Amino acid sequence: MINAKQTVGEIANRQPSTIEVFEQLGIQYCCHGEETVEATCGYLGLPVNGVLSELNRVVNASGTTKAPWADPILEALMGNLLRTRTVLVQQDLPRIQQLARTVSSCHLREHPNAIHVAHLSATLANEVTSHFTDEAQILFPKIRELELAYVGSSSATVHVNSVRNDLAHMTHEHGAVGDLLSRIQDLTEDYDSTTTTCASYREICQRLKELDGEVRQEVHLENNVLFNRALQISGALYG
């Protein structure tokens, strides 16, 4: 049974059915997954007992569904992350950048936030693209070496402080991306484009909504699963 002292990230990781509840309540389970249910309810003004009741209800209703990526092999999780973001990097993010330029030139009088949305969208696309590149080229190879050392398959020297610093830096970047998404969500009134007839603005809102869900899921898998396990391994190896 879920209790108020458990962290949001731990709950989302072990019981994926709870993610829908967190999203409905506006609880950040990815970027701020280290916070307890009790603390989160406190600053959001939510009733702790009511939230716990709903979380336990969906867990009981879902039965014994296995959490995704319960397998402790980090290489498998990193491979999945790299595969799932291929379309995002090659097609979705460039399209959002293109739409942002179009919306910026429209100067929509019917939607006063359009220019601001376009600017933040372009910034978001650039930040996410850069972040993914750094993970693929810098962080993931280091985690791979760390895991190989842990299972005794590599004698290469692992600079554990470098790995830990990179993990902290990437976690910070996750928070910055989450803040950008939240700002865009507020400006678009939850990605609502029904008040405009501009096809470009309508499309960018739809694509941003889809991006929001995909990025938050990836951040959850990284912060609450991949990064936590990497830190646990580094602690077991080097203290």
Side-chain angles (χ1 to χ4, degrees):
M1 178 173 289
I2 296 172
N3 64 71
K5 299 300 182 181
Q6 288 180 272
T7 67
V8 172
E10 174 190 1
I11 295 168
N13 182 26
R14 294 184 178 180
Q15 304 289 348
S17 59
T18 61
I19 290 177
E20 183 177 355
V21 176
F22 290 139
E23 291 179 342
Q24 290 174 347
L25 296 175
I27 295 176
Q28 294 289 341
Y29 62 93
C30 47
C31 295
H32 302 286
E34 75 283 357
E35 297 179 353
T36 65
V37 172
E38 184 177 53
T40 301
C41 288
Y43 70 73
L44 288 179
L46 297 171
V48 177
N49 289 337
V51 171
L52 288 174
S53 177
E54 183 62 13
L55 289 172
N56 283 302
R57 183 192 68 77
V58 298
V59 168
N60 292 333
S62 66
T64 57
T65 302
K66 185 179 180 180
W69 301 107
D71 191 318
I73 300 176
L74 302 186
E75 177 65 33
L77 177 51
M78 289 187 291
N80 176 72
L81 289 168
L82 291 173
R83 284 191 300 274
T84 57
R85 65 180 53 163
T86 300
V87 174
L88 196 63
V89 171
Q90 295 181 355
Q91 299 179 26
D92 296 344
L93 291 173
R95 178 57 179 165
I96 287 174
Q97 291 172 318
Q98 181 183 25
L99 288 167
R101 290 191 292 270
T102 301
V103 171
S104 293
S105 64
C106 286
H107 301 292
L108 297 175
R109 295 180 180 179
E110 57 191 290
H111 203 296
N113 293 328
I115 303 301
H116 198 184
V117 169
H119 172 71
L120 290 178
S121 299
T123 301
L124 174 67
N126 289 332
E127 292 291 331
V128 172
T129 301
S130 175
H131 179 81
F132 283 170
T133 300
D134 288 344
E135 285 186 334
Q137 297 180 357
I138 300 172
L139 179 61
F140 286 4
K142 290 183 180 181
I143 293 178
R144 186 173 295 112
E145 286 298 326
L146 183 68
E147 183 172 49
L148 289 173
Y150 182 69
V151 299
S153 297
S154 173
S155 58
T157 301
V158 177
H159 300 284
V160 66
N161 287 334
S162 175
V163 177
R164 291 171 178 171
N165 288 338
D166 285 344
L167 289 171
H169 178 68
M170 292 300 176
T171 301
H172 175 75
E173 287 194 355
H174 286 166
V177 168
D179 288 342
L180 274 173
L181 284 169
S182 295
R183 290 169 63 190
I184 294 172
Q185 186 175 18
D186 288 341
L187 283 170
T188 57
E189 298 181 343
D190 197 21
Y191 307 111
D192 178 27
S193 61
T194 58
T195 58
T196 178
T197 58
C198 176
S200 295
Y201 186 80
R202 295 174 74 91
E203 182 181 348
I204 200 172
C205 283
Q206 179 59 38
R207 287 184 175 269
L208 287 168
K209 185 175 182 177
E210 294 170 357
L211 177 66
D212 187 302
E214 293 177 15
V215 167
R216 292 188 190 279
Q217 177 64 18
E218 285 221 358
V219 169
H220 161 60
L221 288 175
E222 291 188 353
N223 282 5
N224 300 326
V225 183
L226 179 63
F227 292 3
N228 276 349
R229 289 180 186 165
L231 288 172
Q232 289 169 3
I233 290 175
S234 71
L237 282 174
Y238 306 104

